[in-house]
């Protein structure tokens, strides 16, 4: 039986991650480019805000902010619809809404809302955003490869991330450093299939996403400031050394066996389970609030929600799940 997914209120941030079935390496440059374009189209349709992301050969990570849900104006509805659907569909809805508005009457707004509800129920929802993205990519890939069936492994993973303080920036760095940890590039700016690489290349949406990340640290969201501030943040988190892509498993294991804690920079260069299996990530106060809001998801014996993150100096960050296994996976450093 599937566990219910923990969701916050509108305005919350999520780290979402999904893998290709059987973890096959099917995402080459062509597939990643198609996926990247679909990612941005689904962002525009759903109204979620992509803060950063990374596309790897057999999985992806996305850090998103989901807005408060509310009524969507006719103009905004048609704009979002046009991001994902052909012009004839948009024109049909535009004509229908215009007819309703011109007719007027007490129930005009109710009629318009009912017409738009065919699509608005999928807007402002992280699950619907991922469902649309994965289904569309699967259809494209299956058609090209003449295959049938699912392309993705189980449901996607998601954890709540506190939208203020250094929890959000820590998660963003973890995601943007995936290609460095995997040894694909020595500098994350050179990896075109991540939010940071896309921002450096000039993409306006990618720059705005990282601006939101830096705002969580009470820093300027202007790109002229973000490009310096976020780069410093990523490099400090990644502790990049010339010619290296990450710690060897034996080195990590030795540090853990010796009882020494990893620094935040060292831990971020390893595959850390807190970032995909922790349910919620943030300050003690934030995680406690998530725990209280979703009390029914946890054991009745459990009295508190926040569990301090171990094995590194996380600056007070907590998670809502006390992981039984080591948070640092020694068998795979690719994130």
């Amino acid at each position: 039986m599937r566990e219910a997914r923990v969701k916050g209120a509108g305005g919350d941030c999520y780290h979402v991650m999904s893998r290709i079935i059987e973890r096959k390496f099917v995402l080459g440059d062509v597939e990643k480019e198609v996926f990247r374009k679909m990612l941005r189209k689904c962002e525009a349709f759903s109204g979620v805000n992509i803060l950063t992301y990374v596309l790897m050969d057999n999985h992806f990570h996305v850090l998103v902010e989901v807005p408060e849900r509310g009524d969507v104006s006719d103009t905004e509805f048609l704009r979002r619809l046009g991001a994902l659907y052909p012009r004839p569909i948009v024109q049909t809805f535009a004509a229908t809404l215009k007819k309703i508005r011109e007719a007027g009457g007490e129930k005009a707004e109710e009629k318009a809302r009912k017409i738009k509800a065919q699509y608005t129920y999928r807007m402002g929802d992280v699950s619907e955003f991922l469902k649309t993205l994965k289904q569309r990519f699967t259809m494209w890939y299956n058609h090209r490869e003449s295959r049938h069936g699912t392309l993705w492994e189980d449901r996607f993973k998601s954890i709540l991330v506190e939208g203020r303080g250094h929890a959000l920036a820590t998660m963003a760095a973890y995601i943007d450093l995936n290609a460095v940890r995997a040894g694909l590039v020595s500098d994350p700016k050179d990896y075109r299939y991540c939010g940071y690489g896309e921002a450096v290349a000039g993409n306006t949406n990618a720059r705005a996403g990282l601006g939101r990340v830096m705002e969580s640290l009470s820093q300027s969201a202007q790109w002229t400031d973000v490009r310096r501030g976020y780069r410093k943040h990523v490099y400090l988190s990644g502790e990049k050394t010339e010619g290296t892509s990450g710690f060897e498993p034996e080195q990590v294991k030795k540090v853990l066996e010796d009882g020494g804690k990893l620094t935040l920079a060292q831990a971020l260069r390893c595959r850390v389970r807190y970032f995909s299996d922790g349910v919620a990530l943030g300050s003690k106060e934030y995680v406690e609030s998530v725990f209280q809001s979703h009390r029914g998801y946890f054991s009745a014996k459990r009295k508190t929600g926040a569990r301090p993150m171990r094995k590194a100096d996380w600056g007070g960050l907590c998670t809502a799940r006390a992981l039984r296994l080591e948070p640092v996976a020694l068998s795979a450093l690719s994130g």
Side-chain angles (χ1 to χ4, degrees), residues 252-305:
V252 179
K253 184 177 180 180
K254 186 177 186 305
V255 171
L256 295 178
E257 289 177 344
D258 290 344
K261 287 186 177 181
L262 298 176
T263 65
L264 176 59
Q266 291 169 335
L268 282 174
R269 291 177 65 182
C270 300
R271 183 174 182 272
V272 185
R273 289 190 60 222
Y274 289 127
F275 292 97
S276 59
D277 297 337
V279 179
L281 177 76
S283 64
K284 180 178 180 180
E285 294 75 18
Y286 175 75
V287 176
E288 285 293 345
S289 69
V290 172
F291 172 72
Q292 294 300 332
S293 298
H294 300 82
R295 188 65 186 81
Y297 288 61
F298 301 91
S299 167
K301 296 180 180 179
R302 187 164 170 178
K303 304 302 181 184
T304 59

